[in-house]
Amino acid sequence: MITQLSAALLATLAVAPQQQTDTTLAVAADGRLEIHNVMEGSVTIRTWSQAQARVVADYEGDDAVEIRYSAPTLAVRVRPERLGDDFTDLDITIPNRMSVEVAGIEMEFDAEGLGSNVAVNTVEGGVKLQGGRGNITLNSVEGGVSLEGAEGNIALVSVDGDVFVRQSSGVISVQNVDGDITLEGITSDNVEVNTVDGDLLYRGSIRDDGRYFLSTHDGDITITVPDGTNARVSVSTFSGDLEADFPVTLSGDMDQRSFSFTLGSGKALLEISTFDGIIQLLRP
């Protein structure tokens, strides 16, 4: 009995304490934030106009979160070997012109108001970003990706999860395996979107001399085509159909389900492909 009580007491004493680190420090307004080794937990980033960064970290362990600043880089690193529990929550406020680079395993990411480059990689967890300027790369293996109000070179990847891009502009590339892709309010002359198993929706510009490639293996594709669009449209579908709410004159191999048509002067290129799905072309 005494042995059992002693073992229980030792186990209780061995539990690492819950800690919170709350640090504010001066940083370069156009510097860089790097976050690494978030094994499990969340990263939340907000912005302000001050040339300061505030890092609030909740975790279980002893000095398990390391914060270092060497101009122009603010580095926040989780030390898994010191965690009593893998779970770590980071709530960070930075100048809105700082660039951000984040990597984690089971990590949820949520950021608003960022005005520079953003790179996020997580194995399991959702990624949500409002803002971003420049190079924007968001990757999740198992989780959805959501982007709004971004501008620049945009590359989004999700293996298992839906992808949303809204009110954004620039060069846009979206790759997915199992999930729907929705692009709304897009301003771009270079869009490439692909999913293996999911539907695609595109509402945005189709600019003269632009290039737009949208494909899915198993899913429907819906595209809003503004009145006055000038584009050469190429359509390929193995067992699907084409539906348009405006008249088109088709040419090509109808038996092979590969055909094309021209809208206006045909300056833009729009390629649409689905193995098994309906292609809908709609007016706004």
Side-chain angles (χ1 to χ4, degrees), residues 183-200:
L183 288 83
E184 296 182 297
I186 303 301
T187 303
S188 177
D189 59 7
N190 192 330
V191 175
E192 184 172 354
V193 180
N194 175 264
T195 183
V196 177
D197 186 6
D199 297 334
L200 302 183

Side-chain angles (χ1 to χ4, degrees), residues 31-283:
R32 179 184 181 88
L33 170 65
E34 295 182 355
I35 304 173
H36 298 289
N37 293 344
V38 180
M39 305 304 292
E40 181 180 0
S42 65
V43 174
T44 302
I45 299 177
R46 299 295 184 261
T47 63
W48 55 16
S49 59
Q50 305 174 56
Q52 291 182 319
R54 182 185 180 191
V55 181
V56 180
D58 288 293
Y59 56 92
E60 187 179 280
D62 184 16
D63 297 327
V65 175
E66 182 180 79
I67 302 169
R68 291 186 177 181
Y69 181 65
S70 178
T73 301
L74 172 62
V76 179
R77 184 170 71 93
V78 179
R79 304 173 72 177
E81 72 279 3
R82 296 199 174 204
L83 288 173
D85 187 321
D86 286 343
F87 204 87
T88 306
D89 283 334
L90 298 174
D91 193 338
I92 301 175
T93 307
I94 59 173
N96 56 18
R97 291 191 288 125
M98 284 191 89
S99 63
V100 172
E101 180 180 314
V102 182
I105 305 299
E106 295 182 32
M107 178 187 73
E108 295 285 335
F109 178 86
D110 186 320
E112 293 181 9
L114 300 182
S116 190
N117 302 324
V118 183
V120 179
N121 287 278
T122 181
V123 176
E124 182 177 343
V127 177
K128 181 180 179 182
L129 171 62
Q130 293 184 10
R133 298 290 184 275
N135 296 316
I136 301 165
T137 305
L138 308 178
N139 298 324
S140 177
V141 176
E142 188 174 342
V145 176
S146 176
L147 176 65
E148 183 174 355
E151 180 181 348
N153 296 313
I154 298 169
L156 311 182
V157 176
S158 174
V159 176
D160 185 5
D162 296 336
V163 178
F164 297 90
V165 185
R166 296 186 173 94
Q167 305 304 319
S168 297
S169 62
V171 178
I172 299 176
S173 171
V174 181
Q175 303 297 321
N176 202 350
V177 176
D178 186 5
D180 298 336
I181 299 176
T182 301
L183 288 83
E184 296 182 297
I186 303 301
T187 303
S188 177
D189 59 7
N190 192 330
V191 175
E192 184 172 354
V193 180
N194 175 264
T195 183
V196 177
D197 186 6
D199 297 334
L200 302 183
L201 170 66
Y202 180 80
R203 293 193 181 107
S205 63
I206 301 178
R207 292 179 165 179
D208 290 358
D209 300 323
R211 298 292 182 267
Y212 305 86
F213 305 94
L214 297 94
S215 68
T216 177
H217 184 271
D218 187 8
D220 299 332
I221 299 178
T222 302
I223 302 173
T224 297
V225 181
D227 202 13
T229 293
N230 299 305
R232 290 169 288 127
V233 182
S234 174
V235 176
S236 176
T237 177
F238 180 78
S239 59
D241 292 306
L242 171 67
E243 299 177 357
D245 63 1
F246 50 88
V248 296
T249 302
L250 302 178
S251 62
D253 193 335
M254 304 303 172
D255 293 333
Q256 296 296 320
R257 313 292 289 173
S258 179
F259 39 84
S260 62
F261 58 91
T262 300
L263 299 174
S265 61
K267 291 184 177 181
L269 175 61
L270 174 59
E271 292 189 0
I272 313 165
S273 174
T274 177
F275 184 84
D276 181 15
I278 297 173
I279 298 172
Q280 291 184 309
L281 305 179
L282 309 175
R283 290 300 191 200

